[in-house]
Amino acid sequence: MDHFLFFSLWAFYGLLIGWVLLLLFQSGSQIGDMAGMTAAMSVGMTAGLVTGLLLPMVFHLPFFVSTAAGMGIGGGVGWIAGWRGGPAGILQGWLAGLMGGMMGAMLGVMVPPAYHSSLFRLMNVLFAGVLLLVFQLIRGCAEKDRRGSPIVFFLVVGLFLAISHFFPVGVDRPEGLHGQNSVFKFSLVDRLIPYRGIVIEAKFSWIKD
């Protein structure tokens, strides 16, 4: 994989979320409680959903690790986004981030590998669309002080979508990074265990190519 594509994609995730969070904090009291809580829920849910989805689908991490990381990142982003809204904003942003992390991890594990590429691109479109709407929501509330250019933000989102379109799903790091060319894959093995009937146990294992 091209190093440029790899690092650029993850940099754009952080850039877009950070841009919206910065705009949210700069707008201050000009944003009403309802708009602030909506923004916190949207950003937290989106961050958790994308993180929980990409970790098992792109990095092939186990379901538990992906869920924990998705909930942690989504909840943290939602907590930060809802900080200006007081306890209500923090609670809604945090819980939305936790829910997004859980749903993203479940979606990443349940979808067959044949559809990973399409799901990856679809999720990036949803991610960009939500942040665009939140960006406009914040600017619409802060009419007296419209920080941030929508044209520049739109161009950055377009560049992000272009890079994500060419991102090869299924490779967890650029070839040769840290001197390693191997890819760790995640496999789900179902085993039947007789206990008061039949119980299906899911075991996680690491396979190194």
Side-chain angles (χ1 to χ4, degrees):
M1 185 199 307
D2 189 357
H3 289 71
F4 174 77
L5 288 178
F6 182 84
F7 290 110
S8 297
L9 181 67
W10 305 116
F12 270 108
Y13 281 123
L15 173 63
L16 292 175
I17 292 178
W19 195 335
V20 172
L21 290 178
L22 179 62
L23 185 65
L24 187 62
F25 273 85
Q26 287 180 339
S27 299
S29 60
Q30 299 183 55
I31 300 180
D33 293 338
M34 183 61 67
M37 288 188 291
T38 301
M41 291 177 62
S42 302
V43 176
M45 174 73 77
T46 305
L49 187 64
V50 169
T51 303
L53 177 70
L54 295 186
L55 290 181
M57 192 173 65
V58 177
F59 289 93
H60 310 289
L61 293 181
F63 176 69
F64 175 77
V65 176
S66 302
T67 303
M71 292 175 63
I73 294 177
V77 171
W79 190 89
I80 295 174
W83 176 259
R84 298 299 294 266
I90 292 176
L91 186 61
Q92 293 204 31
W94 179 58
L95 291 178
L98 295 181
M99 187 180 301
M102 288 187 289
M103 292 191 301
M106 288 189 291
L107 186 62
V109 172
M110 293 170 59
V111 173
Y115 299 99
H116 281 181
S117 179
S118 299
L119 180 61
F120 174 77
R121 289 167 176 80
L122 175 62
M123 189 56 61
N124 285 327
V125 172
L126 294 177
F127 171 81
V130 169
L131 292 188
L132 274 174
L133 292 176
V134 173
F135 183 85
Q136 287 299 108
L137 173 66
I138 297 173
R139 293 188 73 254
C141 293
E143 295 181 356
K144 296 181 180 179
D145 189 10
R146 291 180 176 270
R147 294 181 171 90
S149 172
I151 302 299
V152 176
F153 191 81
F154 182 80
L155 292 177
V156 173
V157 168
L159 184 58
F160 161 75
L161 292 176
I163 292 177
S164 65
H165 179 75
F166 295 101
F167 188 84
V169 179
V171 180
D172 64 342
R173 57 173 62 87
E175 184 176 354
L177 185 63
H178 303 305
Q180 297 180 2
N181 296 326
S182 60
V183 177
F184 288 92
K185 295 184 178 180
F186 163 70
S187 65
L188 183 63
V189 181
D190 293 334
R191 186 176 63 181
L192 298 180
I193 300 178
Y195 177 74
R196 295 182 181 179
I198 297 178
V199 178
I200 298 179
E201 180 187 70
K203 295 187 64 179
F204 300 98
S205 62
W206 290 94
I207 300 176
K208 184 176 181 181
D209 290 344

